[in-house]
Amino acid sequence: MAPRSQLKRKASTAAAEAEAATFSDDEFGDGVLEGMLSDDSEDEENSDDEAEEVDGQDEDLDSDEVPSDEDIDEKDVDENDGPRYRVEKDANGGERYVYDEIDPVYDSDDSDAQDPENTIGNIPLKFYGKTIHHSWGLISLRIGYNIDGKKIMRPATGQALDALLDSIEIPQGWTGLTDPATGKPLNLSRDELELLRRVQMQEIPEEGYDPYPEYVPWFTHEEETMPISAAPEPKRRFLPSKHEQQRIMKIVRAIREGRIQPYKPPEEREQEEDEEEEMYDLWANEQAQPPHVMHIPAPKVAPPGFDLSYNPPPEYLPNKDEKKKWEETDPEEREKPYLPQGYDALRKVPAYDIFVKETFERYLSRSLPRPSCQENTLEYRSKLATSKTSPCRRVEAIPTVGAVEYNHGTRVRSVAIDPTGEWVASGGDDGAVKFWELRSGKQMASIRISADEPVNAVRWRPGSAILTAAAGQDVYFIIPPMLDQEVQQANRAALDTGFGYATNGKQATLTSNGARKDPPGTWARPGARLEDQGVLLKITVRADVKVINWHRRGDFFCTVSPTGQRSAVAIHTLSKHLTQIPFRKLPGLAQSAQFHPSRPLLFVALQRTIRVYDLQKQELVKAIQPGARWISSFDIHAASGDHLIVGSYDRRLLWHDLELSARPYKTMRFHPNAIRQVKYSRSFPLFADASDDGTIQLFHGRVHNDLMTDPTLVPLKQLKGHKVVSNLGVMDIDWHPTNPWLVSAGADGMCRLWA
Amino acid sequence: MASSTGASGEGQQIRVNFTTTLPDLQLPEDKSQLLVPGDIKRYGLSRVVNSEAMLNTDFSIPLDFLINGTFLRTSLEDYLKDNGLSAETTVTLQYVRSLVPPIYQASFEHDDWVADVDVLSSTSRAGLWAGNSLPQGQHRILSASYDGLLRIWNMSGQVIATSPSTSSKPFPSTDYVPAIKSAKFLDATRVASAGMDQTVRVWKYKEGSDKLSCDIKPTLELLGHTGGIESMDVHTPSSRILTASNTGEIGLWTTSASAAPDAPESALLQANPAKKRKVAVSSGVQKGALSMMQVHSGPVSAVVFHPEDSTAAYSAGQDHTIRTIDLTTSKVVNSMTTAHPLLSLCSVQGISTPLLAAGTSARHITLVDPRVSAITTSVMTLRGHRNFVTSICASPMDSYSLVSGSHDGTCRIWDLRSVRTGSKAEGGGSVSEAVYIIERESQKGQKKKSDIPGQGCKVFGVSWDKQWGIVSGGEDKQVQINKGSDLLAKEDGQ
């Protein structure tokens, strides 16, 4: 079969070849010769007569007894397309054949076009590198052809062992590449390696090339004592140059003929220039447009004052005390971020010392939502809160500064303000409970209730001034000495009524194997020494008590001993001297417990959940999942009873709406360290948390009566002042019952009143 | 002429022109221009103006000099140099009467914190009430202390009387002693005290002939309060005492034993408990209150008599209110609410109308117009204290200044005439700032222990008398006396 491409080729080349092309591939072997012969004959005939061609074809017909289809086709083609040249007359009147332009279509065997490659899709087979598995079967790839037209096959690649050996003993110049031309591993010679190294080192590749050769001043104006040439000075050195003369005369001539304008007065020139240069105001017709809606103008920077000068007047320079004060204050709290400095000359001013830091921080603030500036965010938010547009603008009275300091001496673990708001009780590591006058800070009494155990919790009984203090496994009832006789008598009576019930003996129950079990709590007198100081009653429970919380009526209170396992939470009845353990088993370590302010519910905080129990029905009502890893404390909103704040050791402060869901309504993470205590104010829409970082954070938290309105939470202020001692900051806080005042207990041995 | 004064070598003479607005200290027209040496200072200038050739006053008047609105504090030459002025020009010096800062005078050491101070002198309130019965020159200070004792001091800082301990301890092992929170002179021989033991005591003291010791005895014990007494005010002509209690009650008492009603049974029981405890001295006659009024919903921090009318009183409480009480009917007439818990109260004559000054826990003093008809209650705010303002006393000399003691360890003197409009952050209104600040002398040179202002030197009581000056007592266990006269510029024409 004669492919179409062959036909085309013949048609487009010289007509002389047309004859040879008439043979099909089948007769290729001897057809070549025949064609050559016929070529010759045809050439002769062509030179004589064109008409002979038909005969020639006839001869072809003769030679092929049975004309094939192709031949017929070819004839048709030739006839259809006609000759591929025009005959023109050349200059001598002779004939000249002008051939058409070759159109290198896809199939043309134009030698410029690349060989069609074997591809799989668009990818040449050589990219696969090796024999490939194809749906047609295994295809072994050739690399190319040698000069004899034999295929160069890809050399057999080494076995895995060879590859391993190669990789162990890396020969000099080993590249790990394969030479695409030979299929053999491509190794570089030493020279090539050296060349590559030079290129890599950005040296000049040529070896031994000296880019900076010593300059030899062969020709110099200096008169040498031993000149290279001893020839005398030539005469031309002393004669005026004819060439220069010619050039000058050329200019002179040009000036004479007026081709060069030698001089023009400047005004004239300016005038001309003015005419030429016409200015256009690009923005002449521009109209002022309103700024884009998203346009936020950059804040105006105050103009630099005298103190920013390099040499300010001496009154602007800080004296030693001011300098010290500036250096001691926190960088965030400084009034000015810089310290005015004076230099008597501008050249003595050193480089801007915090340039890098400042640039870095700017970059940070632009590119990252900075976790490091959460404090700033808080301040910004609190600024917002007190601004006029804020929803809680009516926050007027919040504790802002420390007003009174109570020096307890050792780490204070708990602090409480009495229900009248006149006294403060603090309990510390020294086992002493101290009473202070709230406003003056005068220590009124100090009662050492325990010699070795720290006082973990102090809480006042609601309604009357009896203090309960927990040290070790004991809970003590203290009547402070500041009260008047009448109140003291009443308090004594309240503490003593329970003795008539004598529940202590009866309460001891029998366990299953018949052994007598310890009662959950033993109520007794603490001993004469303490009784003289006003400590009138003592309960001993099974484990160390960490938390005390009273029921609002002042008859019940609950204690939590996290290590107490089964008896971790105990409810005590003062009027009956009765201790009960409400839970057989708790699904975790109890952290804190509190009575609901209005309903008969008990909230028990475990490590991760807060469980709400109905004490009347004796059932679990709700389990709240704050999502904190370890809850430290919680408080219930007194007015509504439906809101809860939870503080956790993993630095989170969570607000729960009990009606809404078991998940927190809001999570706030403003502290870098654990939160120890959270407390609602009883008389203001405020709450606060105490953290190990030594700060207290104040929040505005307004709860609306309308159930549809979400509570408003706004961070207000950070109270700083407690020192961090051995990673502990503020241990406990308590709100004043009527005023917006806050008392905090610090690990630094100080209690503070914030007002 | 230059040679006569230029003894100091480089002595440069400066031409000055003296002017004044004081009509009684006008210089004659031809004498106001003068050449003075350049190194002259305020004192020298004052002497020059006071000299025979110039004012020719009987006694020299200390003067201050104003150049371009600022007081001259350096030498004239230095001033010109500092301000880049030429020494060739004529300098206009305006002279005014010099103001003397409240100079520290003395401190009287106590055993415990001082809760209140009162003074007796011929110009003090008690001295005026005593009239002629006050011996000449009997100037005394009465101090009430947290150790439950009253002390009377004479001018030279000696204790001439210490009251006997009156309290009985409820628990024997505690060292708790009820503090005396308020003490006042009734007249030359009587003293009233009130404190945390819920009783008001009237003491009689009689000075010995040597004036160095005296005998002090309780004559009357007034019972009836059920909470500690924070503040007390006395009015001797009508022999009335007012007390303010932690429970929100205000008690009205009489100092005459015969007129007082009997004490209530419960109070008597409490004061004399069934267990017989030995009381150091006979406590005197026990009587009750004329009237016990439940006025405030929170603790009452201060109560004062109306300055002119002894049948009316004002009280300030921690429930943010100032109340006007009619004592004859025991009714609250008027109630004004402020923004903060109030801790002290004092009536001030004021420039045009009588005012009440109330110290707040928010570190400022609110001046309130107590009249029912007043439209705006808060007239002015005095800002500057850095902690609770716990005591205020009006100036005895004039109607426009007062002194306040605060937990920040300072007493501040305020001039109600200097007023500026408050900024937005301060809540607007009229604002004034302190003229002088009196620090505690005991804290001088001591290291600051805490970042809370006034820790260790809180001022609890302050009193201002013409003769004693400013007397203040506080946490540093000292009564400090500062000079109290000529502190503020006089009104023109006075």
Side-chain angles (χ1 to χ4, degrees), chain A residues 401 403 405 422 437 439-440 442 444 481 484-486 492 532 739 752, chain B residues 112 146 171 173 181 198 246 270 318 363 387 407 450-452 455 458:
Chain A
V401 292
E405 207 168 53
E422 289 296 308
E437 196 175 43
R439 269 172 294 149
S440 67
K442 176 85 180 163
M444 286 299 171
D484 65 291
Q485 302 283 339
E486 202 176 352
R492 271 172 198 271
D532 276 352
N739 291 335
R752 267 170 189 248
Chain B
D112 208 340
Y146 271 79
F171 296 106
S173 297
K181 281 294 183 74
Q198 309 171 2
N246 273 341
Q270 206 192 105
Q318 281 190 43
R363 304 173 293 281
N387 212 329
H407 278 186
S450 162
D451 58 334
I452 293 181
Q455 203 56 35
K458 302 182 195 97

mmCIF file of all heavy atoms in Angstrom, chain A residues 401 403 405 422 437 439-440 442 444 481 484-486 492 532 739 752, chain B residues 112 146 171 173 181 198 246 270 318 363 387 407 450-452 455 458:
data_model
loop_
_atom_site.group_PDB
_atom_site.id
_atom_site.type_symbol
_atom_site.label_atom_id
_atom_site.label_comp_id
_atom_site.label_asym_id
_atom_site.label_seq_id
_atom_site.Cartn_x
_atom_site.Cartn_y
_atom_site.Cartn_z
ATOM 1 N N VAL A 401 -8.408 50.614 92.617
ATOM 2 C CA VAL A 401 -7.076 50.692 93.224
ATOM 3 C C VAL A 401 -7.100 50.022 94.587
ATOM 4 O O VAL A 401 -8.147 49.893 95.220
ATOM 5 C CB VAL A 401 -6.614 52.155 93.397
ATOM 6 C CG1 VAL A 401 -6.357 52.788 92.066
ATOM 7 C CG2 VAL A 401 -7.614 52.946 94.192
ATOM 8 N N ALA A 403 -6.779 49.927 98.373
ATOM 9 C CA ALA A 403 -7.021 50.961 99.369
ATOM 10 C C ALA A 403 -6.394 50.597 100.710
ATOM 11 O O ALA A 403 -5.830 51.459 101.382
ATOM 12 C CB ALA A 403 -8.514 51.200 99.540
ATOM 13 N N GLU A 405 -4.197 47.508 103.008
ATOM 14 C CA GLU A 405 -3.433 46.272 102.949
ATOM 15 C C GLU A 405 -3.446 45.648 104.342
ATOM 16 O O GLU A 405 -3.263 46.345 105.337
ATOM 17 C CB GLU A 405 -2.002 46.578 102.527
ATOM 18 C CG GLU A 405 -1.330 45.450 101.824
ATOM 19 C CD GLU A 405 -0.037 45.921 101.178
ATOM 20 O OE1 GLU A 405 0.792 46.520 101.870
ATOM 21 O OE2 GLU A 405 0.127 45.701 99.981
ATOM 22 N N GLU A 422 -18.021 45.053 108.003
ATOM 23 C CA GLU A 422 -17.111 45.815 108.861
ATOM 24 C C GLU A 422 -15.791 45.097 109.087
ATOM 25 O O GLU A 422 -14.788 45.727 109.395
ATOM 26 C CB GLU A 422 -17.775 46.067 110.225
ATOM 27 C CG GLU A 422 -18.914 47.054 110.176
ATOM 28 C CD GLU A 422 -18.436 48.431 109.775
ATOM 29 O OE1 GLU A 422 -17.494 48.941 110.387
ATOM 30 O OE2 GLU A 422 -19.026 48.991 108.833
ATOM 31 N N GLU A 437 -10.146 45.179 110.920
ATOM 32 C CA GLU A 437 -11.163 46.182 110.648
ATOM 33 C C GLU A 437 -11.039 46.535 109.182
ATOM 34 O O GLU A 437 -9.958 46.903 108.720
ATOM 35 C CB GLU A 437 -10.951 47.415 111.515
ATOM 36 C CG GLU A 437 -12.152 48.311 111.557
ATOM 37 C CD GLU A 437 -11.973 49.465 112.521
ATOM 38 O OE1 GLU A 437 -10.882 50.059 112.535
ATOM 39 O OE2 GLU A 437 -12.906 49.772 113.251
ATOM 40 N N ARG A 439 -11.946 48.944 107.034
ATOM 41 C CA ARG A 439 -11.548 50.204 106.429
ATOM 42 C C ARG A 439 -10.205 50.698 106.950
ATOM 43 O O ARG A 439 -9.407 51.237 106.204
ATOM 44 C CB ARG A 439 -12.617 51.261 106.670
ATOM 45 C CG ARG A 439 -13.643 51.294 105.565
ATOM 46 C CD ARG A 439 -14.772 52.202 105.926
ATOM 47 N NE ARG A 439 -15.521 51.694 107.050
ATOM 48 C CZ ARG A 439 -16.142 52.453 107.940
ATOM 49 N NH1 ARG A 439 -16.094 53.748 107.843
ATOM 50 N NH2 ARG A 439 -16.809 51.910 108.927
ATOM 51 N N SER A 440 -9.945 50.518 108.241
ATOM 52 C CA SER A 440 -8.692 51.046 108.761
ATOM 53 C C SER A 440 -7.545 50.068 108.562
ATOM 54 O O SER A 440 -6.389 50.470 108.530
ATOM 55 C CB SER A 440 -8.845 51.386 110.238
ATOM 56 O OG SER A 440 -9.030 50.206 110.972
ATOM 57 N N LYS A 442 -6.817 47.713 110.692
ATOM 58 C CA LYS A 442 -6.259 47.405 112.011
ATOM 59 C C LYS A 442 -6.538 45.943 112.343
ATOM 60 O O LYS A 442 -7.679 45.480 112.214
ATOM 61 C CB LYS A 442 -6.922 48.310 113.037
ATOM 62 C CG LYS A 442 -6.519 48.058 114.457
ATOM 63 C CD LYS A 442 -5.265 48.789 114.793
ATOM 64 C CE LYS A 442 -4.871 48.526 116.240
ATOM 65 N NZ LYS A 442 -3.483 48.887 116.479
ATOM 66 N N MET A 444 -7.551 43.180 114.567
ATOM 67 C CA MET A 444 -8.335 43.189 115.792
ATOM 68 C C MET A 444 -8.017 41.974 116.649
ATOM 69 O O MET A 444 -7.992 42.068 117.864
ATOM 70 C CB MET A 444 -9.830 43.188 115.421
ATOM 71 C CG MET A 444 -10.279 44.525 114.900
ATOM 72 S SD MET A 444 -10.051 45.774 116.153
ATOM 73 C CE MET A 444 -10.372 47.246 115.261
ATOM 74 N N PRO A 481 -14.027 38.494 118.715
ATOM 75 C CA PRO A 481 -14.170 39.254 119.957
ATOM 76 C C PRO A 481 -14.662 40.677 119.746
ATOM 77 O O PRO A 481 -14.978 41.350 120.732
ATOM 78 C CB PRO A 481 -12.753 39.243 120.527
ATOM 79 C CG PRO A 481 -11.874 39.052 119.354
ATOM 80 C CD PRO A 481 -12.635 38.222 118.393
ATOM 81 N N ASP A 484 -20.454 42.847 120.038
ATOM 82 C CA ASP A 484 -20.924 43.216 121.360
ATOM 83 C C ASP A 484 -21.516 41.994 122.054
ATOM 84 O O ASP A 484 -21.754 40.951 121.445
ATOM 85 C CB ASP A 484 -21.944 44.350 121.259
ATOM 86 C CG ASP A 484 -23.179 43.919 120.543
ATOM 87 O OD1 ASP A 484 -23.070 43.694 119.308
ATOM 88 O OD2 ASP A 484 -24.232 43.803 121.170
ATOM 89 N N GLN A 485 -21.735 42.150 123.313
ATOM 90 C CA GLN A 485 -22.113 41.025 124.174
ATOM 91 C C GLN A 485 -23.397 40.352 123.692
ATOM 92 O O GLN A 485 -23.488 39.132 123.672
ATOM 93 C CB GLN A 485 -22.332 41.540 125.600
ATOM 94 C CG GLN A 485 -21.118 42.231 126.174
ATOM 95 C CD GLN A 485 -20.073 41.234 126.627
ATOM 96 O OE1 GLN A 485 -20.381 40.078 126.862
ATOM 97 N NE2 GLN A 485 -18.843 41.684 126.747
ATOM 98 N N GLU A 486 -24.355 41.181 123.317
ATOM 99 C CA GLU A 486 -25.654 40.625 122.967
ATOM 100 C C GLU A 486 -25.534 39.666 121.785
ATOM 101 O O GLU A 486 -26.029 38.531 121.817
ATOM 102 C CB GLU A 486 -26.604 41.768 122.604
ATOM 103 C CG GLU A 486 -28.040 41.397 122.728
ATOM 104 C CD GLU A 486 -28.936 42.592 122.462
ATOM 105 O OE1 GLU A 486 -28.411 43.716 122.344
ATOM 106 O OE2 GLU A 486 -30.137 42.400 122.346
ATOM 107 N N ARG A 492 -23.345 32.279 120.725
ATOM 108 C CA ARG A 492 -23.050 31.136 121.586
ATOM 109 C C ARG A 492 -24.241 30.194 121.622
ATOM 110 O O ARG A 492 -24.094 28.972 121.512
ATOM 111 C CB ARG A 492 -22.787 31.635 123.015
ATOM 112 C CG ARG A 492 -21.360 31.974 123.298
ATOM 113 C CD ARG A 492 -21.285 32.631 124.680
ATOM 114 N NE ARG A 492 -20.053 33.356 124.841
ATOM 115 C CZ ARG A 492 -18.934 32.796 125.313
ATOM 116 N NH1 ARG A 492 -18.922 31.529 125.636
ATOM 117 N NH2 ARG A 492 -17.839 33.512 125.441
ATOM 118 N N ASP A 532 -11.242 30.078 125.209
ATOM 119 C CA ASP A 532 -10.987 31.400 125.783
ATOM 120 C C ASP A 532 -10.829 32.455 124.700
ATOM 121 O O ASP A 532 -11.032 33.639 124.932
ATOM 122 C CB ASP A 532 -9.719 31.365 126.625
ATOM 123 C CG ASP A 532 -10.021 30.861 128.016
ATOM 124 O OD1 ASP A 532 -11.229 30.708 128.317
ATOM 125 O OD2 ASP A 532 -9.070 30.600 128.774
ATOM 126 N N ASN A 739 -20.875 47.458 99.316
ATOM 127 C CA ASN A 739 -20.122 48.406 98.500
ATOM 128 C C ASN A 739 -19.390 47.683 97.380
ATOM 129 O O ASN A 739 -19.141 46.481 97.484
ATOM 130 C CB ASN A 739 -19.103 49.150 99.364
ATOM 131 C CG ASN A 739 -19.789 50.089 100.333
ATOM 132 O OD1 ASN A 739 -20.911 50.531 100.085
ATOM 133 N ND2 ASN A 739 -19.143 50.363 101.438
ATOM 134 N N ARG A 752 -5.664 42.431 100.491
ATOM 135 C CA ARG A 752 -5.853 43.798 100.028
ATOM 136 C C ARG A 752 -7.326 44.093 99.895
ATOM 137 O O ARG A 752 -8.099 43.239 99.477
ATOM 138 C CB ARG A 752 -5.223 43.984 98.649
ATOM 139 C CG ARG A 752 -3.833 44.484 98.674
ATOM 140 C CD ARG A 752 -3.256 44.381 97.299
ATOM 141 N NE ARG A 752 -1.830 44.666 97.363
ATOM 142 C CZ ARG A 752 -1.270 45.749 96.826
ATOM 143 N NH1 ARG A 752 -1.996 46.602 96.163
ATOM 144 N NH2 ARG A 752 0.012 45.954 96.923
ATOM 145 N N ASP B 112 -0.460 53.397 120.243
ATOM 146 C CA ASP B 112 -1.223 52.694 119.224
ATOM 147 C C ASP B 112 -1.737 53.720 118.218
ATOM 148 O O ASP B 112 -1.489 54.916 118.359
ATOM 149 C CB ASP B 112 -2.388 51.920 119.877
ATOM 150 C CG ASP B 112 -2.766 50.704 119.046
ATOM 151 O OD1 ASP B 112 -2.417 50.684 117.848
ATOM 152 O OD2 ASP B 112 -3.411 49.792 119.588
ATOM 153 N N TYR B 146 -6.550 53.599 119.272
ATOM 154 C CA TYR B 146 -7.060 52.240 119.091
ATOM 155 C C TYR B 146 -6.790 51.357 120.297
ATOM 156 O O TYR B 146 -7.311 50.251 120.371
ATOM 157 C CB TYR B 146 -6.429 51.608 117.831
ATOM 158 C CG TYR B 146 -7.221 51.871 116.587
ATOM 159 C CD1 TYR B 146 -7.127 53.086 115.931
ATOM 160 C CD2 TYR B 146 -8.094 50.919 116.076
ATOM 161 C CE1 TYR B 146 -7.864 53.341 114.792
ATOM 162 C CE2 TYR B 146 -8.834 51.165 114.936
ATOM 163 C CZ TYR B 146 -8.714 52.372 114.298
ATOM 164 O OH TYR B 146 -9.449 52.616 113.178
ATOM 165 N N PHE B 171 -13.494 37.753 125.705
ATOM 166 C CA PHE B 171 -12.725 36.514 125.744
ATOM 167 C C PHE B 171 -11.390 36.836 126.376
ATOM 168 O O PHE B 171 -10.661 37.689 125.885
ATOM 169 C CB PHE B 171 -12.518 35.962 124.325
ATOM 170 C CG PHE B 171 -13.799 35.579 123.663
ATOM 171 C CD1 PHE B 171 -14.331 36.361 122.663
ATOM 172 C CD2 PHE B 171 -14.493 34.449 124.069
ATOM 173 C CE1 PHE B 171 -15.520 36.028 122.062
ATOM 174 C CE2 PHE B 171 -15.675 34.113 123.446
ATOM 175 C CZ PHE B 171 -16.203 34.901 122.456
ATOM 176 N N SER B 173 -8.513 35.517 126.531
ATOM 177 C CA SER B 173 -7.202 35.281 125.924
ATOM 178 C C SER B 173 -6.892 36.209 124.765
ATOM 179 O O SER B 173 -5.745 36.329 124.366
ATOM 180 C CB SER B 173 -7.114 33.844 125.414
ATOM 181 O OG SER B 173 -7.224 32.976 126.487
ATOM 182 N N LYS B 181 -13.224 55.618 118.739
ATOM 183 C CA LYS B 181 -13.196 56.138 117.375
ATOM 184 C C LYS B 181 -13.357 57.649 117.318
ATOM 185 O O LYS B 181 -13.036 58.276 116.328
ATOM 186 C CB LYS B 181 -14.319 55.483 116.558
ATOM 187 C CG LYS B 181 -13.984 54.072 116.089
ATOM 188 C CD LYS B 181 -12.850 54.077 115.098
ATOM 189 C CE LYS B 181 -12.531 52.708 114.552
ATOM 190 N NZ LYS B 181 -13.498 52.220 113.604
ATOM 191 N N GLN B 198 -19.541 50.621 121.827
ATOM 192 C CA GLN B 198 -20.945 51.002 121.660
ATOM 193 C C GLN B 198 -21.457 51.952 122.728
ATOM 194 O O GLN B 198 -22.651 52.152 122.864
ATOM 195 C CB GLN B 198 -21.848 49.763 121.616
ATOM 196 C CG GLN B 198 -21.353 48.762 120.622
ATOM 197 C CD GLN B 198 -22.080 47.465 120.696
ATOM 198 O OE1 GLN B 198 -22.999 47.329 121.492
ATOM 199 N NE2 GLN B 198 -21.696 46.521 119.893
ATOM 200 N N ASN B 246 -22.400 51.917 113.266
ATOM 201 C CA ASN B 246 -22.227 50.974 112.157
ATOM 202 C C ASN B 246 -23.536 50.364 111.680
ATOM 203 O O ASN B 246 -23.621 49.861 110.571
ATOM 204 C CB ASN B 246 -21.333 49.822 112.619
ATOM 205 C CG ASN B 246 -19.887 50.158 112.434
ATOM 206 O OD1 ASN B 246 -19.579 51.059 111.671
ATOM 207 N ND2 ASN B 246 -19.026 49.470 113.129
ATOM 208 N N GLN B 270 -25.951 44.063 129.021
ATOM 209 C CA GLN B 270 -24.759 43.830 128.235
ATOM 210 C C GLN B 270 -23.545 44.481 128.860
ATOM 211 O O GLN B 270 -22.463 43.910 128.886
ATOM 212 C CB GLN B 270 -25.017 44.446 126.858
ATOM 213 C CG GLN B 270 -24.235 43.812 125.774
ATOM 214 C CD GLN B 270 -24.313 44.653 124.542
ATOM 215 O OE1 GLN B 270 -23.356 45.320 124.207
ATOM 216 N NE2 GLN B 270 -25.460 44.640 123.882
ATOM 217 N N GLN B 318 -22.423 55.077 104.408
ATOM 218 C CA GLN B 318 -21.843 54.273 103.331
ATOM 219 C C GLN B 318 -22.890 53.875 102.299
ATOM 220 O O GLN B 318 -22.566 53.248 101.298
ATOM 221 C CB GLN B 318 -21.189 53.026 103.909
ATOM 222 C CG GLN B 318 -19.829 53.304 104.493
ATOM 223 C CD GLN B 318 -19.104 52.029 104.840
ATOM 224 O OE1 GLN B 318 -19.109 51.077 104.084
ATOM 225 N NE2 GLN B 318 -18.497 52.013 106.012
ATOM 226 N N ARG B 363 -11.858 58.512 96.762
ATOM 227 C CA ARG B 363 -10.648 59.323 96.826
ATOM 228 C C ARG B 363 -10.874 60.802 96.535
ATOM 229 O O ARG B 363 -9.963 61.491 96.164
ATOM 230 C CB ARG B 363 -9.574 58.767 95.876
ATOM 231 C CG ARG B 363 -9.232 57.335 96.135
ATOM 232 C CD ARG B 363 -8.315 56.786 95.098
ATOM 233 N NE ARG B 363 -8.928 56.683 93.804
ATOM 234 C CZ ARG B 363 -9.750 55.708 93.442
ATOM 235 N NH1 ARG B 363 -10.077 54.755 94.289
ATOM 236 N NH2 ARG B 363 -10.269 55.675 92.244
ATOM 237 N N ASN B 387 -6.475 57.905 98.332
ATOM 238 C CA ASN B 387 -7.103 56.813 99.058
ATOM 239 C C ASN B 387 -8.327 57.392 99.778
ATOM 240 O O ASN B 387 -8.667 58.555 99.585
ATOM 241 C CB ASN B 387 -6.107 56.190 100.038
ATOM 242 C CG ASN B 387 -6.355 54.709 100.213
ATOM 243 O OD1 ASN B 387 -7.485 54.256 100.113
ATOM 244 N ND2 ASN B 387 -5.295 53.969 100.466
ATOM 245 N N HIS B 407 -6.530 58.172 103.971
ATOM 246 C CA HIS B 407 -5.741 56.951 104.150
ATOM 247 C C HIS B 407 -4.465 56.966 103.327
ATOM 248 O O HIS B 407 -3.636 56.083 103.468
ATOM 249 C CB HIS B 407 -6.589 55.734 103.742
ATOM 250 C CG HIS B 407 -7.522 55.283 104.822
ATOM 251 N ND1 HIS B 407 -8.276 54.160 104.741
ATOM 252 C CD2 HIS B 407 -7.793 55.822 106.030
ATOM 253 C CE1 HIS B 407 -8.988 54.018 105.849
ATOM 254 N NE2 HIS B 407 -8.719 55.022 106.632
ATOM 255 N N SER B 450 4.835 49.575 100.247
ATOM 256 C CA SER B 450 3.764 48.990 99.446
ATOM 257 C C SER B 450 3.376 49.969 98.356
ATOM 258 O O SER B 450 3.664 51.164 98.436
ATOM 259 C CB SER B 450 2.573 48.707 100.356
ATOM 260 O OG SER B 450 1.414 48.544 99.574
ATOM 261 N N ASP B 451 2.747 49.429 97.310
ATOM 262 C CA ASP B 451 2.304 50.326 96.251
ATOM 263 C C ASP B 451 0.973 50.974 96.579
ATOM 264 O O ASP B 451 0.486 51.807 95.834
ATOM 265 C CB ASP B 451 2.187 49.547 94.933
ATOM 266 C CG ASP B 451 1.239 48.373 95.048
ATOM 267 O OD1 ASP B 451 1.080 47.870 96.172
ATOM 268 O OD2 ASP B 451 0.663 47.982 94.028
ATOM 269 N N ILE B 452 0.399 50.605 97.695
ATOM 270 C CA ILE B 452 -0.838 51.255 98.110
ATOM 271 C C ILE B 452 -0.463 52.547 98.815
ATOM 272 O O ILE B 452 0.337 52.532 99.740
ATOM 273 C CB ILE B 452 -1.648 50.332 99.030
ATOM 274 C CG1 ILE B 452 -2.137 49.130 98.239
ATOM 275 C CG2 ILE B 452 -2.793 51.067 99.673
ATOM 276 C CD1 ILE B 452 -2.948 48.173 99.036
ATOM 277 N N GLN B 455 0.199 53.377 102.993
ATOM 278 C CA GLN B 455 0.229 52.183 103.816
ATOM 279 C C GLN B 455 1.175 52.427 104.982
ATOM 280 O O GLN B 455 2.322 52.795 104.799
ATOM 281 C CB GLN B 455 0.682 50.993 102.975
ATOM 282 C CG GLN B 455 0.243 49.649 103.501
ATOM 283 C CD GLN B 455 -1.259 49.560 103.671
ATOM 284 O OE1 GLN B 455 -1.997 50.122 102.890
ATOM 285 N NE2 GLN B 455 -1.694 48.887 104.719
ATOM 286 N N LYS B 458 -1.720 55.972 107.472
ATOM 287 C CA LYS B 458 -3.051 56.508 107.187
ATOM 288 C C LYS B 458 -3.416 57.586 108.210
ATOM 289 O O LYS B 458 -3.058 57.483 109.376
ATOM 290 C CB LYS B 458 -4.096 55.390 107.282
ATOM 291 C CG LYS B 458 -3.857 54.240 106.356
ATOM 292 C CD LYS B 458 -4.999 53.240 106.520
ATOM 293 C CE LYS B 458 -4.656 51.911 105.916
ATOM 294 N NZ LYS B 458 -4.164 50.981 106.938
#
